[in-house]
């Protein structure tokens, strides 16, 4: 039998993670360990502590995309620890592609299977002053500014109480759409250089979804050895709003302003200071002319397979 470990982020979903944990814990019949995050990036340290025990482990994260991002970072390269998520955040894009659970029964079914797991790739974003891993996606520009402002929003915390955290995201989208200033950008895909004017955002994806279910990169597959980059440039504010309406079904890729590339190494720089994110978490900003580099890492993480 596998070792069963939980990492719970009680702050995720404005307390929704804690509520779900209190519901599920009495239903568990198997012996388990529990770790609770207490501050930002605590999940990384807890995950490393868990991985130090060299025993086949099922690690269940109860939180949102930010929490599972931290845990996967801490478990990078530890193939004996399989990671799954019981979603309790506001975006929950991880659960749309990777193995996730919803009940104590599903958790115990995964724990009883000692063989079925898959090694997954992760990406890395590096700038002049910092770097971060990503499992879902990383981006700079309008989308990162929206994520940054949403995470600071009081409305997100208020709406999360009712499971409506996405409404705060959409509200910030409209607000930033009226004020955001697009920038010129240079993009290098492998060794080919592309230049764009009036870039709203660039996002590099390891799986299709971002922003709470928007299918920004339909061709992205976390099981392959490539990443996909999407650039949105030279589009009016109101057409951009319409574009977001088509993203949920992937039709935006037919729009002239949307440019897509595949590869394993990307570099980009902007003419204006631009904010970035990795899996929806702020990862710094690029000053004019500074370059970011995105690539697939050799490190993997283990995902249980149902």
């Amino acid at each position: 039998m596998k070792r069963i470990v939980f990492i719970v982020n009680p702050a995720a979903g404005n307390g929704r993670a804690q509520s779900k944990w209190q519901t599920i814990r009495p239903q568990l019949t198997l012996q388990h360990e529990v770790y609770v995050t207490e501050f930002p990036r605590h999940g990384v340290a807890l995950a490393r502590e868990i991985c130090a025990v060299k025993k086949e482990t099922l690690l269940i994260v109860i939180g949102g995309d930010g929490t599972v991002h931290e845990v996967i970072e801490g478990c990078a390269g530890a193939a004996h620890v399989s990671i799954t998520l019981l979603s309790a955040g506001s975006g929950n894009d991880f659960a749309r592609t990777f193995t996730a659970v919803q009940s104590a029964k599903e958790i115990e079914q995964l724990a009883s299977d000692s063989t079925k797991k898959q090694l997954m790739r992760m990406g890395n974003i590096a700038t002049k002053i910092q770097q971060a891993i990503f499992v879902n996606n990383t981006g700079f520009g309008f989308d990162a500014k929206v994520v940054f402002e949403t995470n600071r929003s009081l409305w997100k915390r208020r709406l999360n109480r009712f499971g409506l955290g996405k409404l705060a995201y959409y509200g910030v989208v409209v607000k930033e759409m009226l004020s955001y200033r697009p920038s010129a950008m240079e993009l290098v895909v492998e060794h080919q250089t592309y230049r764009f004017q009036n870039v709203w955002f660039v996002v590099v994806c390891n799986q299709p979804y971002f922003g709470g279910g928007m299918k920004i990169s339909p061709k992205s597959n976390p099981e392959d050895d490539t990443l996909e980059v999407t650039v949105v440039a030279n589009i009016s504010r109101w057409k951009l709003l319409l574009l977001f309406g088509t993203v949920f079904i992937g039709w935006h890729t037919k729009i002239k302003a949307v440019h897509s590339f595949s590869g394993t190494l990307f570099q980009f720089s902007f003419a204006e200071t631009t904010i970035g994110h990795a899996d929806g978490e702020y990862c710094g900003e690029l000053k004019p002319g500074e370059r970011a580099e995105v690539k697939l890492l050799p490190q993997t993480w283990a995902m249980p397979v149902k």
Side-chain angles (χ1 to χ4, degrees):
M1 183 65 67
K2 292 180 182 178
R3 173 189 182 210
I4 304 175
V5 182
F6 291 86
I7 290 182
V8 182
N9 178 2
N14 201 38
R16 194 142 35 102
Q18 180 69 9
S19 177
K20 286 190 175 185
W21 172 236
Q22 290 174 346
T23 299
I24 285 177
R25 188 170 193 178
Q27 301 171 14
L28 296 169
T29 62
L30 299 176
Q31 183 178 358
H32 57 273
E33 304 168 37
V34 184
Y35 295 78
V36 179
T37 62
E38 299 176 355
F39 47 84
R41 294 191 59 76
H42 193 194
V44 180
L46 293 177
R48 288 173 178 161
E49 181 180 340
I50 292 164
C51 291
V53 178
K54 302 300 181 181
K55 180 180 179 180
E56 282 296 320
T57 300
L58 175 63
L59 175 52
I60 305 96
V61 180
I62 302 184
D65 287 344
T67 312
V68 76
H69 166 101
E70 290 186 6
V71 171
I72 289 174
E73 178 179 344
C75 290
H80 62 288
V81 178
S82 300
I83 302 166
T84 188
L85 174 71
L86 195 156
S87 295
S90 54
N92 301 322
D93 287 318
F94 179 92
R96 301 176 196 278
T97 301
F98 302 103
T99 298
V101 292
Q102 298 181 357
S103 66
K105 182 179 180 181
E106 287 186 56
I107 292 168
E108 296 194 345
Q109 285 176 339
L110 283 179
S112 66
D113 193 317
S114 61
T115 59
K116 291 185 178 180
K117 63 181 177 181
Q118 184 172 355
L119 295 180
M120 309 298 294
R121 300 290 295 273
M122 66 183 76
N124 185 78
I125 169 75
T127 65
K128 182 179 180 180
I129 60 173
Q130 67 185 83
Q131 62 178 338
I133 67 104
F134 64 94
V135 181
N136 295 331
N137 50 66
T138 184
F140 277 75
F142 175 78
D143 65 318
K145 183 71 182 304
V146 167
V147 168
F148 179 72
E149 295 296 339
T150 302
N151 287 340
R152 297 199 307 167
S153 169
L154 289 174
W155 279 108
K156 179 182 178 181
R157 292 193 285 273
R158 291 169 180 169
L159 290 168
N160 270 341
R161 298 173 187 171
F162 308 100
L164 299 173
K166 291 180 186 178
L167 292 181
Y169 180 89
Y170 301 142
V172 175
V173 165
V174 174
K175 172 181 172 292
E176 290 298 327
M177 196 168 291
L178 296 173
S179 61
Y180 187 78
R181 293 177 55 189
S183 170
M185 185 192 78
E186 181 178 277
L187 169 69
V188 180
V189 181
E190 307 296 349
H191 301 291
Q192 181 68 44
T193 300
Y194 303 88
R195 292 180 176 85
F196 301 92
Q197 298 297 318
N198 300 314
V199 172
W200 282 86
F201 64 87
V202 56
V203 58
V204 183
C205 293
N206 189 37
Q207 60 110 313
Y209 299 98
F210 88 148
M214 289 188 282
K215 203 171 186 180
I216 188 67
S217 186
K219 294 182 179 180
S220 288
N221 181 352
E223 298 181 23
D224 63 21
D225 291 328
T226 63
L227 297 169
E228 285 68 40
V229 61
T230 300
V231 179
V232 176
N234 292 317
I235 187 171
S236 71
R237 297 177 190 277
W238 300 113
K239 286 184 179 179
L240 182 67
L241 184 60
L242 293 175
L243 180 146
F244 275 102
T246 69
V247 167
F248 289 95
I249 51 179
W251 288 1
H252 64 290
T253 57
K254 300 176 182 179
I255 297 174
K256 185 178 179 180
V258 178
H259 309 268
S260 301
F261 308 89
S262 294
T264 58
L265 178 64
F266 307 99
Q267 296 174 325
F268 47 84
S269 59
F270 293 87
E272 306 288 342
T273 299
T274 307
I275 283 179
H277 78 88
D279 285 345
E281 299 296 317
Y282 175 74
C283 69
E285 61 182 25
L286 289 177
K287 300 296 183 181
E290 290 182 352
R291 179 163 291 193
E293 181 176 277
V294 182
K295 63 182 178 181
L296 275 171
L297 291 175
Q299 293 99 325
T300 57
W301 60 278
M303 178 183 75
V305 179
K306 291 183 179 181

